[in-house]
Amino acid sequence: MSKLRFATLSLLVSCALSGTTIAAPAPASVAADAKPAASGRLVRDGVAIDFEARPAGGASELVEGGLADIRFRITDANTGKGVPGLQPGAWLDLAQVISNPKANEQKECKDKIALYLKGVVGVRPMVDLNSYYLMVLNKDPSISVIDPLTSVGGVTSTLTRIMLKRPPVDWTKSPDGKYIFVSMPVADQVAVVDATSFRVVTNVDAGDEPVRVTVQPDGRYLWVGNNSRDPAKSGVTVIDAHTFKPVKTFATGKGHHEIAFSDDSRHAFVTSRDAGTVSVFDVATMQKLKDLATGPRPISVAQSGLSKALYVADGQAGTITVIDARTLATRKVIQAKPGLGPVRFTADGRYGFALNTLESVATVVDAGSDEVVHDIKVASEPYQVTFTSGYAYVRGLATERVTMVKLDTLGKGRAPVLQSFAAGGEAPKLAGDLPLAASLAARNDEGSVFVVNPANNTTYFYMEGMNAPMTGYLNRGHTARAVTVVDRAMKQGEPGVFSTQVTLPASGKFDVAFMLDRPQVLHCFSAEVKPGVVSDAKLAVPRLEFLPSPVTVQAPGKATVRFRLVAGRKDTPRTGLTDLKVSYFVAPAGTRQSAAAREVGEGVYEAQVQLGETGAYYVHVDSEALRDTQNKPYLTLRAVSAVAGK
């Protein structure tokens, strides 16, 4: 974090409100489950709000770099019953000594929350308990991380970028959302990305040409489909999702492999497209039990928890084979039309959508009766579908429009209600080769989706009830292909109880700002975080700071970019780096260029960048020493015509 950001936060972050009842930090001898390390209670307008922060893992104190369980319990002050239907907001940030101690602290807390809600760059809290981030899978070996709540001059919301070893094709999240597993077929590996720090933890050997990646419902194993041209290596590789070590590799047959599981994670089902089979595995013993013939071209497999069955779509025969998850036998074969592709079920397991790319139809199967109840005309050449609680969203290759199917209008003898919206102005297939990863993702707690249009490199945000997307996020310098949502927001368990687990980013006294709209509450609790052993390690990572330079430059022409690197508690200059380079491109997605940087002072480096055309340039600094640096700053330059500048 730059000194400028620290200075800005020092001016904006206020003290905790007076009158808050805070429990003293629990002594080390007290068990973690006996008393929280920090707590507070507020009663207002008939509602009681109880806050507590407990260190995870049995520790007795909140420690920098450690995990903390944060919980708010909102109850009726008279009955003690949880209040349902609430949507609170909360933020954690370091408390600072204010210049005017006589100022009204309630107003300061209110002003602080207002600033958080505005999404102003440089005044974000250290931990946002309402936040979510978009991870955009790129065509090149990288992932862009977007903060939808922050905008830089209304132009970009890119938080950071995660560099991968090789270009990605598919990804999946662990059930707890802590890790993202990304397949890289060219590298024969899967990248493990920490969804909290947005860093690659490790790269795991995953067999020959790993493509499809899927995690069991219980989170124990990651299963990877190997699309090897060698029949002896074509199958699946199983990886321990906790230790990130390969467990076993199975040959299942030639062709692409799709993977699904029984809802109890007891059995795994793997298709082999060219072999025409589905292989069934016992997960506990890591043994293949049988191969089931399901047609000449099994394209997709999906599981329904409602019917306790697997549904295998065959693209050539136009059939959907139903496999009983308990008996592992074929229960029924449903006849549809050739051209079937992906099959996905609604969250409750009731309706399965089998997309027919040739017919531009979604064949809807009722898992209660294993019958086709609808053939719905949807977006041209449908290839992906996702769900919110109210709608199915169907994406087509040959159109910019996304079809919405209202789920509560489905059923035998009923007419489904359809809507649609345009996500951009071009059809996705104009972008060329696309990965397996989905180009649309739903938020977990609201009726909204994000849709990537790979043809115009933009991720659109659509909220149900609107006629068009509300906004779009342009992926500058990279080519967007797919999107997923990393949700950091508090989750509601029992009515009125909201909780989440966070990593404590620093030591010191924290303000825990809390907001409730009904009744209206703006309040700050407090928590003390002790210094952790990770402090010196974190400070040892070089910190990058661009030095002042003209914002407007001439093109064509050269410009000098200067920056400083420091590390440690005393901002010691980081000298002697020889692999520093400056990469830059003209917005929105110009060709990326690079220039070597040389040291010109104690920890000060500079590079000459060649600006060949007018426009806005984004400038980044890359080095092996900066590999672990999070949220690296970037520089923007405005290049104007050399003739106009005279």
Side-chain angles (χ1 to χ4, degrees):
M1 185 180 294
S2 68
K3 293 180 180 177
L4 176 61
R5 179 180 166 101
F6 273 128
T8 305
L9 285 174
S10 297
L11 294 173
L12 292 171
V13 179
S14 61
C15 294
L17 295 181
S18 60
T20 302
T21 304
I22 303 295
S29 60
V30 178
D33 58 353
K35 182 182 290 186
S39 64
R41 180 179 176 86
L42 173 72
V43 178
R44 182 173 297 170
D45 296 333
V47 172
I49 301 164
D50 290 281
F51 155 74
E52 66 177 35
R54 296 176 182 268
S60 60
E61 294 181 322
L62 301 174
V63 179
E64 175 186 10
L67 293 173
D69 293 315
I70 307 296
R71 189 178 84 151
F72 294 94
R73 187 166 185 263
I74 308 168
T75 58
D76 185 292
N78 296 318
T79 66
K81 293 183 178 180
V83 181
L86 301 178
Q87 291 185 324
W91 302 263
L92 275 69
D93 214 339
L94 282 171
Q96 300 290 335
V97 177
I98 57 175
S99 58
N100 181 11
K102 296 182 180 180
N104 186 287
E105 292 180 342
Q106 175 70 20
K107 182 178 184 300
E108 288 162 2
C109 186
K110 180 178 179 180
D111 291 344
K112 182 197 303 184
I113 293 173
L115 285 170
Y116 295 158
L117 293 173
K118 287 180 180 178
V120 179
V121 175
V123 293
R124 300 300 297 152
M126 296 190 77
V127 180
D128 188 339
L129 301 183
N130 326 283
S131 66
Y132 66 95
Y133 299 93
L134 303 183
M135 295 181 69
V136 177
L137 200 71
N138 295 322
K139 184 178 181 180
D140 65 288
S142 70
I143 298 170
S144 297
V145 182
I146 294 173
D147 181 356
L149 303 180
T150 303
S151 177
V152 181
V155 176
T156 180
S157 300
T158 301
L159 177 69
T160 188
R161 286 189 176 87
I162 304 167
M163 302 310 297
L164 302 174
K165 195 172 182 180
R166 291 291 187 272
V169 170
D170 190 30
W171 58 6
T172 189
K173 286 185 284 191
S174 58
D176 59 11
K178 292 182 179 179
Y179 295 102
I180 311 290
F181 301 99
V182 188
S183 65
M184 302 178 293
V186 176
D188 291 336
Q189 291 181 323
V190 167
V192 182
V193 177
D194 187 316
T196 300
S197 64
F198 299 124
R199 295 192 302 173
V200 175
V201 176
T202 187
N203 294 301
V204 185
D205 292 335
D208 195 21
E209 282 193 58
V211 178
R212 178 63 81 190
V213 285
T214 311
V215 182
Q216 294 176 191
D218 64 3
R220 186 69 181 87
Y221 295 111
L222 170 73
W223 291 65
V224 184
N226 297 118
N227 287 16
S228 176
R229 298 178 185 179
D230 182 349
K233 299 179 180 179
S234 180
V236 287
T237 295
V238 184
I239 296 171
D240 190 306
H242 301 295
T243 65
F244 311 135
K245 301 294 184 183
V247 176
K248 199 166 184 178
T249 297
F250 299 94
T252 61
K254 295 176 62 178
H256 173 71
H257 308 285
E258 291 289 318
I259 306 164
F261 308 95
S262 56
D263 58 359
D264 59 4
S265 296
R266 181 180 177 184
H267 295 109
F269 301 81
V270 181
T271 68
S272 296
R273 185 172 300 183
D274 295 346
T277 59
V278 174
S279 299
V280 184
F281 295 88
D282 185 292
V283 174
T285 62
M286 277 294 153
Q287 298 293 325
K288 185 168 77 168
L289 301 179
K290 61 171 67 176
D291 290 321
L292 297 172
T294 58
R297 199 80 171 167
I299 294 290
S300 182
V301 58
Q303 180 263 356
S304 167
L306 180 66
S307 65
K308 307 297 182 185
L310 282 296
Y311 295 75
V312 184
D314 191 283
Q316 183 174 328
T319 57
I320 301 172
T321 301
V322 186
I323 301 172
D324 192 295
R326 290 162 292 198
T327 65
L328 306 181
T330 298
R331 178 193 295 176
K332 186 176 182 179
V333 177
I334 303 169
Q335 185 63 55
K337 293 183 179 180
L340 291 179
V343 178
R344 298 290 183 269
F345 272 85
T346 53
D348 61 2
R350 177 65 187 274
Y351 294 109
F353 280 64
L355 305 183
N356 192 313
T357 306
L358 296 180
E359 302 285 336
S360 294
V361 162
T363 296
V364 180
V365 174
D366 187 335
S369 60
D370 286 338
E371 294 180 340
V372 173
V373 291
H374 302 290
D375 280 316
I376 304 172
K377 200 71 174 178
V378 292
S380 183
E381 299 181 24
Y383 72 112
Q384 290 174 344
V385 59
T386 194
F387 304 95
T388 62
S389 59
Y391 288 86
Y393 291 78
V394 182
R395 189 79 164 115
L397 281 169
T399 177
E400 75 282 2
R401 300 200 69 82
V402 177
T403 301
M404 301 169 60
V405 182
K406 202 167 189 298
L407 296 179
D408 61 9
T409 63
L410 296 177
K412 191 172 183 179
R414 306 183 69 186
V417 173
L418 307 182
Q419 298 170 239
S420 71
F421 64 91
E426 300 83 15
K429 70 177 182 181
L430 297 178
D433 293 338
L434 298 176
L436 285 180
S439 65
L440 66 173
R443 277 293 313 275
N444 294 335
D445 60 348
E446 60 183 62
S448 59
V449 294
F450 293 91
V451 184
V452 168
N453 189 322
N456 67 7
N457 198 30
T458 300
T459 301
Y460 294 95
F461 172 66
Y462 174 81
M463 181 170 287
E464 289 169 7
M466 307 296 289
N467 293 324
M470 295 180 64
T471 189
Y473 304 96
L474 186 59
N475 191 22
R476 302 182 187 280
H478 298 265
T479 305
R481 285 292 184 260
V483 65
T484 191
V485 177
V486 175
D487 205 326
R488 304 268 182 86
M490 297 183 294
K491 302 294 190 300
Q492 183 173 199
E494 58 185 277
V497 178
F498 296 83
S499 61
T500 187
Q501 189 176 83
V502 301
T503 299
L504 299 170
S507 61
K509 185 178 180 181
F510 273 77
D511 284 343
V512 186
F514 179 84
M515 179 184 74
L516 193 64
D517 59 351
R518 182 171 52 85
Q520 190 175 74
V521 176
L522 299 172
H523 193 80
C524 287
F525 299 98
S526 290
E528 188 76 27
V529 179
K530 302 297 183 181
V533 295
V534 298
S535 298
D536 289 334
K538 288 171 62 178
L539 289 171
V541 177
R543 298 182 292 282
L544 171 66
E545 181 183 50
F546 284 100
L547 298 179
S549 62
V551 175
T552 302
V553 295
Q554 294 184 349
K558 292 183 178 180
T560 300
V561 174
R562 305 187 82 197
F563 54 91
R564 179 187 292 115
L565 291 175
V566 296
R569 295 184 181 276
K570 297 183 179 180
D571 288 347
T572 304
R574 185 65 185 270
T575 61
L577 297 181
T578 58
D579 66 338
L580 285 167
K581 67 177 182 179
V582 170
S583 60
Y584 58 102
F585 63 91
V586 64
T591 302
R592 184 175 289 267
Q593 304 177 68
S594 63
R598 64 187 183 92
E599 190 169 3
V600 295
E602 287 289 307
V604 177
Y605 300 82
E606 73 174 23
Q608 298 286 328
V609 297
Q610 182 69 51
L611 309 177
E613 58 182 300
T614 59
Y617 283 80
Y618 287 82
V619 182
H620 302 263
V621 177
D622 297 309
S623 167
E624 180 63 26
L626 299 175
R627 182 171 60 87
D628 292 333
T629 302
Q630 300 181 39
N631 306 339
K632 288 189 294 185
Y634 60 88
L635 178 70
T636 57
L637 297 174
R638 178 173 175 263
V640 299
S641 170
V643 175
K646 291 182 179 180

